[in-house]
Amino acid sequence: MVAYEITVEGLKYQYGKIKAVNDISFKVIKGEIFSFLGPNGAGKTTTINVLTTLLPIQKGKISISGFDLRTQPDEIRKSIGIVFQNETLDWNLTVEETLEFHGRLYAIPKKTRKDRINELIQIVKLEEKRDEFVKNLSGGMKRKLEIARGLLTRPKVLFLDEPTIGLDPNSRMRIWNYIKKVNKEGVTIFLTTHYMDEADQLSNNICIIDRGKIIANGFSEVLKQSLGMDVIYLQTDQDEKTFKIIKKMKEIKNIRKTPSELMISVEDGQKNMPRLIEQIRTQGIEIKSIYLKKPTLDDVFIHYTGRYFREEKKKKINI
Ligand SMILES: Nc1ncnc2c1ncn2[C@@H]1O[C@H](COP(=O)(O)OP(=O)(O)OP(=O)(O)O)[C@@H](O)[C@H]1O
Ligand SMILES: [Mg+2]
């Protein structure tokens, strides 16, 4: 039987008239990395803040590690760790002191504490800043220290609110690997992010939230496959003729011409791409480029909301 670390039923949260979280329900499996993915203002931080007892529970039922949030908030506080979206560091401590104090506060034994601090300082590449005061760190460095501090303890559930926001790609990758390591040591991880790749890299199970509502929830691969279509992008030396030939193929669900290429929607692209190539080549048409694009989480978002995840990308829907 599947054991759940977190269950949320009918959660609502309003700031005055603003319905930030509007009747959401989901479950987090014990031992998994669960991603709560959504654009700015979707309601992610509000949800995390209610779950971690920082905001009062207005409506709904929440259980974490077997404790009820309304009646046992203290027990919940003891079994969780949090990395906030906003900076919460003490500017008058050094990098090492920040970690050392946190480790002592959570009574991590000396040897483990020392090893983990050394390891984390390396992971977030703050070796040279070990004795520097927090106030003298760059924004990205502060973020890294904040994450390192959050990853020092091993609570039952670790909440990470936009952990790698504003970090460079290498740092993000190293932190993802460390999050995976912490998870392997038995910590259930609840992560909010507005990065599709982060959710995809870290989680199997993804919950997509938009405007306070859950729009899709499930295994990333299943969500993507549920859209059913792959897209083949094709450039040839005779696009007009190719268009006519492909249109007749029964495997092809849809074909569109853009100024630079043909976009072909097809079920099971991996199987059908070779057939397509063969058909075109036998007509003496030269293929300049061809590639297959599997649906992404971006496509899942578009499918359910009719909008692009990033608002600035106002292109037409492909699938
Ligand atoms: N303290 C507050 N008072 C009033 N409205 C708030 C407050 N905090 C958040 N909101 C509103 O609630 C909604 C959800 O905000 P929330 O911070 O939960 O989103 P988010 O998904 O974490 O976004 P982001 O990706 O930008 O961090 C937004 O419309 C926001 O303006
Ligand atoms: Mg937020």
Side-chain angles (χ1 to χ4, degrees), residues 24-264:
I24 62 170
S25 303
F26 59 87
K27 290 176 178 171
V28 177
I29 298 168
K30 212 182 211 17
E32 77 170 337
I33 304 181
F34 179 86
S35 278
F36 207 49
L37 174 72
N40 292 134
K44 304 182 296 295
T45 297
T46 305
T47 304
I48 259 198
N49 286 351
V50 176
L51 260 53
T52 55
T53 77
L54 297 170
L55 282 176
I57 176 161
Q58 294 176 343
K59 252 204 173 108
K61 191 167 164 35
I62 295 173
S63 139
I64 299 178
S65 305
F67 300 115
D68 183 89
L69 191 99
R70 276 181 202 275
T71 55
Q72 299 163 295
D74 290 340
E75 283 84 350
I76 288 183
R77 269 181 224 123
K78 277 183 213 143
S79 64
I80 61 176
I82 318 168
V83 173
F84 296 97
Q85 183 172 3
N86 295 326
E87 199 221 294
T88 58
L89 296 167
D90 183 339
W91 283 31
N92 295 314
L93 296 179
T94 67
V95 166
E96 181 160 3
E97 283 166 356
T98 302
L99 298 174
E100 179 64 24
F101 286 178
H102 191 73
R104 284 186 193 199
L105 188 68
Y106 283 87
I108 303 173
K110 193 171 174 195
K111 169 86 173 67
T112 314
R113 194 166 76 221
K114 222 173 142 220
D115 290 348
R116 274 196 204 147
I117 289 176
N118 285 335
E119 187 181 24
L120 278 160
I121 284 183
Q122 268 182 16
I123 301 267
V124 297
K125 291 256 179 289
L126 286 175
E127 295 103 319
E128 285 172 22
K129 302 285 177 185
R130 215 180 165 106
D131 298 318
E132 187 62 84
F133 285 104
V134 170
K135 61 182 163 216
N136 298 333
L137 299 179
S138 74
M141 288 170 185
K142 287 198 194 91
R143 187 72 200 142
K144 289 184 198 172
L145 179 59
E146 185 121 21
I147 297 168
R149 188 181 62 180
L151 296 175
L152 198 58
T153 55
R154 297 289 183 269
K156 275 200 184 127
V157 190
L158 182 59
F159 290 89
L160 303 171
D161 197 359
E162 305 269 355
T164 65
I165 196 161
L167 297 187
D168 60 75
N170 282 333
S171 305
R172 295 179 73 211
M173 212 103 79
R174 281 197 308 275
I175 288 165
W176 290 347
N177 286 336
Y178 198 82
I179 290 173
K180 284 183 194 164
K181 180 184 145 129
V182 171
N183 172 248
K184 283 214 180 82
E185 290 178 31
V187 177
T188 302
I189 294 183
F190 182 104
L191 167 117
T192 81
T193 183
H194 64 269
Y195 295 120
M196 304 258 177
D197 59 341
E198 183 154 276
D200 235 355
Q201 272 282 328
L202 289 174
S203 294
N204 291 325
N205 222 349
I206 292 175
C207 188
I208 306 182
I209 180 168
D210 183 42
R211 296 175 178 169
K213 292 256 181 208
I214 288 172
I215 57 156
N217 187 1
F219 290 118
S220 171
E221 286 314 309
V222 175
L223 290 176
K224 289 185 233 169
Q225 277 164 20
S226 70
L227 301 185
M229 292 290 158
D230 297 340
V231 181
I232 294 170
Y233 292 81
L234 175 67
Q235 274 186 320
T236 67
D237 63 346
Q238 299 173 64
D239 278 358
E240 283 291 334
K241 189 171 166 192
T242 310
F243 185 86
K244 282 181 195 147
I245 295 165
I246 295 176
K247 231 179 151 188
K248 288 186 199 137
M249 291 175 66
K250 63 175 184 343
E251 299 89 344
I252 306 304
K253 298 292 166 207
N254 189 21
I255 169 165
R256 292 200 291 122
K257 240 184 324 194
T258 74
S260 57
E261 59 199 351
L262 297 173
M263 282 172 60
I264 302 150

Side-chain angles (χ1 to χ4, degrees), residues 292-305:
L292 176 71
K293 185 175 156 276
K294 292 270 173 198
T296 62
L297 284 175
D298 219 352
D299 298 318
V300 174
F301 189 79
I302 295 163
H303 178 81
Y304 287 106
T305 65

